[in-house]
Amino acid sequence: MAPNAPYEICFVPKSREEEEEDEKIYKRYKEIIATTLPIAGGLLGEPMYQYQGFWYSSRVGSVGPLAVQDHFRARASDILIASIPKSGTTWLKSLAFAVINIKSHPPSVQQQHPLHIFNSHDLVPMLEIRLYNNDFNGNRIPNLDILPSPRLFGTHMPYTSLPQSVTLSGSRIVYICRNIKDNLVSMSRFIIKMRLALSLEPMKVEDILEWFCKGRCVIGEVIEHALGYWKASLERPQNVLFLKYDKMVAEPALHLKRIAEFMGCPFSSMEEKEGVVHQIIKLCSFENLSNLEVNKTGLSDGGFLNRAYFRKGKVGDSANYLSPKMMEQLDQIIEQKLHGSGLTL
Ligand code: A3P
């Protein structure tokens, strides 16, 4: 039997009255969504709702974003791994976890490392998709106070929708995004796999991309998501680190050191001499993680297959899927949305 993910301790037993209270809270969010927000069908056959300008799939978060805003209390020492889905979240979570836990879990002892036992989404749980997702937590509000500092969480929520306590407390956010075309192709391939697993009618990449460009989870949203964090990283560089997957693939050691420094645990010169940076890069590499039993089997957040988080791990793969016409269409949208921002994607 698979061991319990470490975050499970947040779901401490509660009295019947407390459980009923939690259920009421989630029921209220469901009512708010059903009665006040725009609803539409999603690509996985699920309803989606539009909240504060962004579309959310009920499959990956249900009422989560609303619950996070009301109930998550950030600490100054918290670190949030924020991202657009399919931009390298699984990788960044692995790197951040390995760095934060370097003393208790030295990367030199790879076979016993938690990353060999758990998918990184189980080690760095998503706030809205896992911890405050009523569909996966049995309608319970988690008690995150019992987690020791520094706490590491993930989120796909846009910057403007993060709970106020994140900005007020001074928590740090490490954000990752990626070349938009690669991001969209990666998302499309993920959706294709998931539709197969859910026995939904097959879809082609081109159809899904058309859908992204015209409908919900529009490309503009992906860009606006990145723009929100980009602006925050310019305004609050000590609190928001903005990373690009493509650059990290090109220079992993440089970026890993930046991440460690930003998170407040830079590598010592002794650690560098001992090759710790390269041990972490190897531990978290696509080749290593994608071949681990835990990532070949098993399910993670939202009931997704762990193996669906690993596809090719390459930069520029969109060229193999997008027609010149589609490339041009995307270039126009990207140019228009990013114009004057100083951000390139
Ligand atoms: P591709 O579909 O282009 O291969 P996310 O974790 O945000 O869902 O992003 C998934 C993307 O990151 C996929 O991209 C996946 O293959 C890639 N990926 C997963 N683990 C990785 C790793 N350890 N190193 C580099 N890329 C990784």
Side-chain angles (χ1 to χ4, degrees):
M1 210 173 76
N4 276 347
Y7 69 81
E8 292 282 358
I9 59 164
C10 302
F11 294 106
V12 286
K14 292 188 176 184
S15 70
R16 200 173 157 69
E17 288 75 33
E18 286 169 326
E19 280 180 5
E20 281 172 5
E21 191 49 41
D22 284 2
E23 267 177 45
K24 265 194 227 155
I25 290 170
Y26 283 114
K27 196 167 162 232
R28 192 166 53 84
Y29 294 134
K30 279 187 209 164
E31 280 165 10
I32 293 172
I33 291 172
T35 57
T36 67
L37 300 181
I39 310 272
L43 272 167
L44 297 176
E46 84 289 26
M48 293 184 83
Y49 58 90
Q50 195 186 34
Y51 183 57
Q52 299 180 339
F54 287 79
W55 283 97
Y56 289 88
S57 162
S58 60
R59 188 175 176 88
V60 287
S62 199
V63 304
L66 285 76
V68 169
Q69 288 182 337
D70 283 349
H71 295 276
F72 176 62
R73 298 281 168 265
R75 292 180 192 157
S77 54
D78 283 346
I79 294 159
L80 288 192
I81 304 298
S83 66
I84 294 164
K86 303 296 122 203
S87 61
T89 324
T90 314
W91 185 25
L92 180 58
K93 281 185 176 184
S94 311
L95 293 169
F97 179 89
V99 170
I100 292 288
N101 294 286
I102 201 163
K103 296 276 184 292
S104 48
H105 301 292
S108 53
V109 195
Q110 303 225 336
Q111 302 312 317
Q112 286 146 38
H113 198 280
L115 280 163
H116 275 239
I117 301 163
F118 297 102
N119 175 274
S120 67
H121 296 286
D122 281 338
L123 296 171
V124 185
M126 286 291 192
L127 287 172
E128 75 282 13
I129 296 174
R130 170 58 73 183
L131 296 170
Y132 292 92
N133 180 351
N134 55 304
D135 286 341
F136 290 92
N137 65 17
N139 283 313
R140 287 169 296 170
I141 300 285
N143 174 9
L144 304 185
D145 291 343
I146 61 176
L147 294 177
S149 296
R151 304 181 301 182
L152 257 181
F153 301 113
T155 185
H156 288 320
M157 287 171 68
Y159 183 76
T160 43
S161 291
L162 292 178
Q164 256 201 335
S165 71
V166 171
T167 27
L168 292 180
S169 67
S171 321
R172 275 167 281 196
I173 300 170
V174 188
Y175 182 75
I176 187 165
C177 64
R178 131 188 234 195
N179 172 288
I180 294 284
K181 291 174 204 150
D182 284 354
N183 199 156
L184 290 182
V185 163
S186 181
M187 259 194 226
S188 304
R189 300 302 308 170
F190 182 80
I191 286 163
I192 287 168
K193 265 188 225 168
M194 285 307 299
R195 285 185 68 93
L196 196 69
L198 295 167
S199 306
L200 294 168
E201 207 182 305
M203 271 178 104
K204 288 197 250 143
V205 169
E206 308 91 77
D207 301 337
I208 297 174
L209 284 176
E210 283 288 345
W211 204 91
F212 278 126
C213 289
K214 287 189 193 148
R216 290 161 300 283
C217 194
V218 284
I219 179 165
E221 257 191 72
V222 176
I223 297 174
E224 267 121 31
H225 196 283
L227 268 175
Y229 283 93
W230 170 250
K231 286 181 191 154
S233 75
L234 298 179
E235 283 159 17
R236 308 172 58 231
Q238 69 286 9
N239 293 100
V240 184
L241 177 66
F242 191 94
L243 298 170
K244 291 182 181 170
Y245 176 91
D246 324 67
K247 293 205 166 164
M248 281 175 58
V249 170
E251 290 183 290
L254 179 106
H255 285 89
L256 180 56
K257 286 191 224 171
R258 276 184 76 199
I259 294 167
E261 228 172 277
F262 175 81
M263 295 195 304
C265 30
F267 297 108
S268 65
S269 44
M270 179 65 97
E271 282 171 334
E272 288 208 28
K273 243 186 246 158
E274 285 169 352
V276 168
V277 174
H278 291 283
Q279 284 163 6
I280 293 181
I281 290 171
K282 190 169 159 226
L283 171 70
C284 302
S285 67
F286 182 88
E287 291 67 31
N288 185 49
L289 294 182
S290 62
N291 282 308
L292 295 174
E293 202 48 35
V294 61
N295 291 324
K296 286 192 200 168
T297 56
L299 299 174
S300 252
D301 295 335
F304 292 128
L305 304 166
N306 283 347
R307 69 168 187 272
Y309 290 104
F310 303 91
R311 194 179 62 96
K312 290 187 180 171
K314 297 264 180 277
V315 172
D317 188 45
S318 51
N320 298 317
Y321 292 90
L322 302 181
S323 65
K325 188 170 160 250
M326 184 60 81
M327 288 270 194
E328 208 182 292
Q329 193 183 344
L330 292 176
D331 278 337
Q332 276 175 14
I333 301 173
I334 296 165
E335 164 59 25
Q336 190 194 349
K337 298 262 180 194
L338 291 183
H339 186 74
S341 67
L343 175 63
T344 51
L345 288 168

